[in-house]
Each structure stands twice: as C-alpha cells, then as structure tokens.
Amino acid sequence: MKIFLLVLASMTTVGPGLWRPLYPAEGEEEITVPAFELDEAAVTHRQFLEFVQEHPEWRRDNVGSLFADEGYLDSWAGPGELGSSVGRGHPVSGVSWWAARAYCSSRDARLPTEAEWELAAQASTEEADASEDPEHLAQILAWYSRPGNQTDPVAHSEPNFWGVYDLHGQVWEWVDDYASALVANDNREDGTVDITRFCGAGAITASLKIDYAAFMRIAFRSSLQADSTTRNLGFRCARDLPKEAP
Amino acid sequence: MTLNQTIMCLAAAALLAGCNSSTSTSESSAPSVIPEANAAGPIAFAPGLASALPSSEVRGWTPEGDPITGEVTYAPDVPAPIDRDYPAKVIIELETTEEVMEIADGTDYTFWTFGGAVPGKFMRVRQGDTVEFHLKNHPDSKMPHNIDLHAVTGPGGGATSTFTAPGHETVFTFQALNAGLFVYHCATAPVGMHIANGMYGLILVEPPGGLPAVDKEFYVMQGDFYTTGEYGAEGLQPFSMDKAIDEDATYVLFNGRVGALTGDNALKAEVGDKVRMFVGNGGPNLISSFHVIGEIFDKVYPEAGTRFQENVQTTLIPAGGAAMVEFEVEVPGTYIIVDHSIFRTFHKGSLGMLQVGGDEAPAIYSGQQSDTEYEAEPLK
Ligand SMILES: [Cu+2]
C-alpha cells in the first residue's frame, strides 16, 4: 500500500521534528511537527496543465478574479497549452493559493503548513536540521540573491535528508497558512498588534541573526494575498500520514 | 492591503526605528513647528514660507491645476528646479528591480534598486504638493519591496502602504508637509539587507519660492557595501550578512560603484560656477565625513535642515540622512570628493571628482612656485 502511494504521488515521509518559528507566540518557541507526507518534487507545468484540462474552471480564461490575479499562468502560450518557451518538467509558477489548493485537493492532498514546509526545508542533504549550518544557509541565500526566474527541471539536484528536492533554489512555494505567521495575535477591534513580538523578541534572537533567509521567506509570504501570483512562486502538496491499522 | 501586510511592514519599520513606535494610530495632527524669521540665524531655505502656509490650524494644501508627472533623474543629475507657484498633484512612478551590475571593474554584485540604479532616482516636488506614489516591483524580482520616504508624514513613511510582491504595483498618496531634502529607502525585512543592496535615494521637497539659484546641481549619495570576497575580488560577489552586522564594510561608495564619479564620469563645472550638491547617505551603517579636497563649503545645510552653516570644511552626514552643500569654484583643476574617514577613500572606494575648467586664478592659488633644498639643523 505504501509503495503504491509513493509511486502514485511521489511523496515521501518527512518528520517528525522540531521547528523554531522566527516570531514564536508565547510558549510556542519550539513546535513539534508530526510526521507527514510531502511531494518529493514541486508540481510541474505539465502536471498543472493536466489538472487544468481535467478542471477547466481553473483555466486562466475561466478562473474568477477573486481566485487568481492577472498574472495567473501568464507564461503559458494559451489557456490550455504550454507553448515552446515553457519547460514542461520545470516547476509551475504564476499560480494563486486558491489554485494550488484546488490542485492538491484534486489529488486528495493539501498544501503543507508553514511549519511542515519549514521543517522539510531546514534539512540539508546530510542533516535533518541544518538550520544553523552556515554552508547550508549560504546555499539557500545564493538563490535568493540571484535575480530572474530561470529554473531547472524538478528533481535534478540532490534530494535533501528526507528525500525532498528543490525546496531551495528553484521557486518560492505556497504554504497553506501563508498569512498566519504574523497575525496570530492580532486584535481586530482596535487594529493594534503586540509589537514586542516582532521587535523585543524577534529582533535580537540568534535565529534571526543567523537564518535571515527565513526572515526573507516570511517577508515574501507576507506580501501575498490568496489571489496573488508571481513568476517565481509555485507549490507542492502534502498529506497526513495514513492512519496506522490498530 | 491585508492585515498581515500591515504588520509585516510595521515590524520592519519598528525594527528600523528601534521598536518604540506605536502602530496605526495617527501620529499627530498637530502642526509641527515652522521656523519663523529669526535674527539669530540666517534662513535661506524657505523664503516666503510663512506667507505660503494655509491659514487654517490644520496643515494641508489643496492641489491645483492638472496632475503633473513628476520628473525623476539618475544620479548625478537632478531634476530642474520647480517653477510652479501653486501646490499640485504630482504622480511619481518608481520600479524596484534586482539586477547584477558592476560594483567595481571586474566585480559584479546583485543590486536591489529603485529605478534600476544605485542610488535610486532623484525626485523633486514642492512643499504642499500631493504626491500620488506608484511603486512597481519588477516580475523578475525574488523579493517583495516597499518604500519608506522620510518626506512622508504617516506611519511607516509609506512602507506600510507599499509592500509589493514581485510583478505587482501599489499606490498611496501623501502630502509633502515639510520642505527639505529627504532619504527614501526600502523597509522590507531584513531591512538592513535591502538597504545594503542599494535600495535608497533622495527626494527634495522645495519650499515655495524654491532654493536660491545656482549654476550646477549634483546628486551624490554614499553607501556602504558588504561582500563575502575582499575589496576588488573578481566575479559575482554575494552579500555578507556577517560583515554587515559587524559593520565591516568592503566598499564605501559614492553613487553605487567604484569610479561612478571619476574619470569620464567626474562632475564638471566652470570657474565662477555656484555649485550645489544634494548629498545623501544611504548607509546602512556608516556615517559620512563628507569633504571636497581643496574647497570650503560656503554653505552647508547640516542634516538637510532649514538653517545653514557657513564656511565648513567637512560635514557629517548620518546614515539615513542628507545634507546640502554649496560652494563657488574659483580655481580650475580637479577636486577630490571624499569621505574623510580616509581609509575608506583609499581602500574602499569613496572617491569622486569634480573637474573645474576655466582660467587660472593665480591670485587665489599660485600652484607650485619653487622647489629647492634648504639648510636643516641635524635631528638629535
Ligand atoms: Cu527592498
């Protein structure tokens, strides 16, 4: 059964593990992330094209403006074709959160949570937690500081500790709770927030100083809305582990 | 704009401001102090300012006429003085980009820019103008960006309203309440990195009546840069967060590149010209001891404030601040522009040139008149 699932969805098990958010709520400095399944590779243009063909409501000429902004799939030659300039096996981009969610749910899957994604992404090829390994961080930053949207076919680099490819170095990726990082403590009555969370606590921690790549990811996610698309934002899907038979 | 965007920007702004700022409650509706004519000190920056102020207690102007597209220029050029005698609605567009460009001959760096260059484009408006500001973030950008204009009165200086994902455009409007020369910069987290990569520039808010006329105006902006390789190391050099935190600059530059103001790129003037330099310091870390070798600033507006100081040799320009310096050039030749923290000039790149053409003025400066040996007492 397990093998069948792996072949079907190319998922691999990640975790369990500990993740330390950059801006933890009180008492949540370390979050235990239960084991879960995650796509080994990012969703490709070819896969997303198949999805759009099966679910034409997600074609760019059909999708409602609430669910995707004007940049949705705009690198494609047409609403139902990739064209020659789009790499079929490259990570899809220009996809909104709504569309990414719909894709995953069509596969009986879901988007990974931020905690899950970050847990998987703090692994290097050797270690489950390389979040304080300067070499690993430098590799991540090399991509962040390289402008442009060039990508490679997915799963052509070395997989990380969990067997997951390309969490860094190709495209940004949606997480399910992309907007939650900073709003957990808000008070909508008066619009104020607990600013000490971002300053007093956050600014001085060692993790901020070392892992500023994580800071950049939070900044990027915070700039998004659910209908947002950008040319360097893609996604992959996750799933709860199958319940073990009693 | 979603709440999380607001918070992210506030976080960034608060980090920058030392985390003592309140959130979105309005800063203050009370009018700030407008300098009055004062016999104790010269006021040249705002002639006729008092009469141009609205009479009501709340400061504010109503834009007149058709909306105007604001002129913006690349350094070292400055837009022409404003010849309008009324407050207008001015539309300004700026695009953020991330581009690999040369920081020195043979050395590349990934700059993050306002308008495709470092420093960002120079903007010029008039006090009382209502500025509709459009920030576009190029689709090839990896990062979101925003803009905090020190000329803006309001939370975040615009940063909270302009947090812009790649490929998107945001708009906000502000009224230029205070005249002066102001730094603008990106305030997206990690703020220091966005500034260190070159995301800063200057906006001039002219007082009604403008600045005193001069012959030449230049835009010079200093910034410090941090690369993993040493000064002059070849190839694409990545940003070094460690060096930035240690304030151990690899490059200290005028206008974003070694040689941006030397050789063919030198600033040019003629004997007899009155020269005004709008000098900014983007930082992120270092304070500039701004000096022009062989000149004395007839006037300096320290920190780009309203009053000027006279007969200044070297003026301090804080990170995130600016100054206006003015001087007349009397003697032809090449004048070296430096940060007088002088190792930065000879080892980190903070060197520019002003080439002055025209007739020699031997009464003011003779040049070398002789070189002979002399009888010296032996040293003990
Ligand atoms: Cu920026």
Side-chain angles (χ1 to χ4, degrees), chain B residues 30-176:
Chain B
S32 54
V33 178
I34 296 289
E36 292 168 16
N38 181 347
I43 300 176
F45 195 55
L49 181 58
S51 62
L53 280 174
S55 56
S56 73
E57 297 211 338
V58 179
R59 296 172 69 187
W61 287 264
T62 306
E64 301 167 26
D66 293 331
I68 293 166
T69 301
E71 189 193 351
V72 292
T73 57
Y74 289 114
D77 294 338
V78 178
I82 290 168
D83 58 359
R84 244 184 309 120
D85 60 359
Y86 59 90
K89 177 174 178 176
V90 179
I91 298 165
I92 293 182
E93 284 189 7
L94 212 50
E95 184 183 45
T96 57
T97 67
E98 300 166 7
E99 300 180 63
V100 175
M101 297 185 282
E102 280 198 332
I103 192 168
D105 290 340
T107 307
D108 288 333
Y109 186 76
T110 302
F111 291 93
W112 297 353
T113 82
F114 286 104
V118 177
K121 286 181 172 175
F122 195 103
M123 306 175 235
R124 190 166 195 156
V125 300
R126 180 185 183 274
Q127 186 181 22
D129 281 351
T130 294
V131 181
E132 181 183 294
F133 196 92
H134 295 243
L135 189 70
K136 298 176 175 178
N137 187 3
H138 195 277
D140 282 351
S141 293
K142 285 270 173 37
M143 300 296 153
H145 299 291
N146 62 11
I147 191 166
D148 168 357
L149 299 124
H150 292 179
V152 168
T153 303
T160 54
S161 309
T162 55
F163 196 36
T164 310
H168 289 238
E169 174 180 354
T170 57
V171 182
F172 85 111
T173 298
F174 69 94
Q175 195 163 85

Side-chain angles (χ1 to χ4, degrees), chain A residues 2-164:
Chain A
K2 180 109 193 263
I3 290 165
F4 172 71
L5 269 179
L6 279 174
V7 171
L8 186 70
S10 301
M11 283 190 169
T12 183
T13 302
V14 174
L18 286 176
W19 174 58
R20 294 175 299 282
L22 218 43
Y23 297 118
E26 193 131 332
E28 293 179 11
E29 286 77 14
E30 275 194 340
I31 292 176
T32 303
V33 183
F36 65 102
E37 308 231 290
L38 183 65
D39 278 348
E40 289 174 359
V43 173
T44 63
H45 281 286
R46 180 182 55 75
Q47 289 170 317
F48 204 82
L49 177 65
E50 285 166 9
F51 164 72
V52 164
Q53 284 163 345
E54 284 166 32
H55 303 272
E57 69 271 25
W58 287 104
R59 285 163 56 108
R60 73 178 186 212
D61 52 349
N62 291 337
V63 73
S65 62
L66 280 177
F67 297 106
D69 67 21
E70 285 165 12
Y72 179 64
L73 298 176
D74 72 351
S75 67
W76 290 10
E81 57 169 327
L82 300 181
S84 56
S85 64
V86 173
R88 309 173 70 77
H90 291 236
V92 70
S93 60
V95 173
S96 68
W97 178 81
W98 295 108
R101 268 186 129 207
Y103 175 96
C104 290
S105 96
S106 80
R107 274 180 46 194
D108 282 329
R110 56 176 173 78
L111 286 171
T113 64
E114 181 186 38
E116 288 171 339
W117 195 96
E118 291 288 339
L119 179 76
Q122 72 188 13
S124 64
T125 53
E126 305 292 328
E127 283 180 285
D129 182 0
S131 61
E132 288 178 21
D133 172 0
E135 217 166 292
H136 178 63
L137 294 172
Q139 275 174 10
I140 296 171
L141 288 164
W143 177 72
Y144 287 3
S145 62
R146 194 181 341 127
N149 296 314
Q150 274 81 44
T151 54
D152 294 318
V154 300
H156 269 56
S157 57
E158 221 182 319
N160 76 5
F161 176 86
W162 304 108
V164 182

Side-chain angles (χ1 to χ4, degrees), chain A residues 69 143 145-149 172 182-183 186 192-193 198-199 203 209 212 215-216 219 222-223 225 229-232, chain B residues 2-5 7-8 11 14-15 19 23 98 100 110 139-144 163 165-166 168 189-190 193 241 245:
Chain A
D69 67 21
W143 177 72
S145 62
R146 194 181 341 127
N149 296 314
W172 300 106
L182 296 164
V183 293
D186 76 89
T192 59
V193 296
F198 311 119
C199 302
K209 186 173 164 180
Y212 59 105
F215 207 163
M216 291 155 85
S222 305
S223 75
Q225 300 178 30
T229 68
T230 85
R231 284 186 206 164
N232 48 32
Chain B
T2 59
L3 184 59
N4 61 303
Q5 287 175 303
I7 295 164
M8 192 65 217
L15 274 173
C19 297
T23 53
E98 300 166 7
V100 175
T110 302
D140 282 351
S141 293
K142 285 270 173 37
M143 300 296 153
F163 196 36
H168 289 238
M193 182 180 182
M241 187 62 124
I245 291 171

Side-chain angles (χ1 to χ4, degrees), chain B residues 285-344:
Chain B
N285 288 321
L286 302 181
I287 290 167
S288 175
S289 300
F290 188 76
H291 179 81
V292 177
I293 297 174
E295 265 300 341
I296 297 154
F297 302 138
D298 298 327
K299 288 183 191 172
V300 171
Y301 296 79
E303 295 163 15
T306 302
R307 289 179 171 74
F308 61 77
Q309 176 63 282
E310 292 174 289
N311 302 318
V312 174
Q313 59 196 299
T314 301
T315 192
L316 277 177
I317 308 177
M324 296 196 310
V325 303
E326 295 174 8
F327 52 94
E328 195 174 325
V329 282
E330 289 91 355
V331 179
T334 297
Y335 295 81
I336 306 293
I337 303 164
V338 300
D339 177 344
H340 217 296
S341 292
I342 208 71
F343 272 102
R344 298 173 187 171

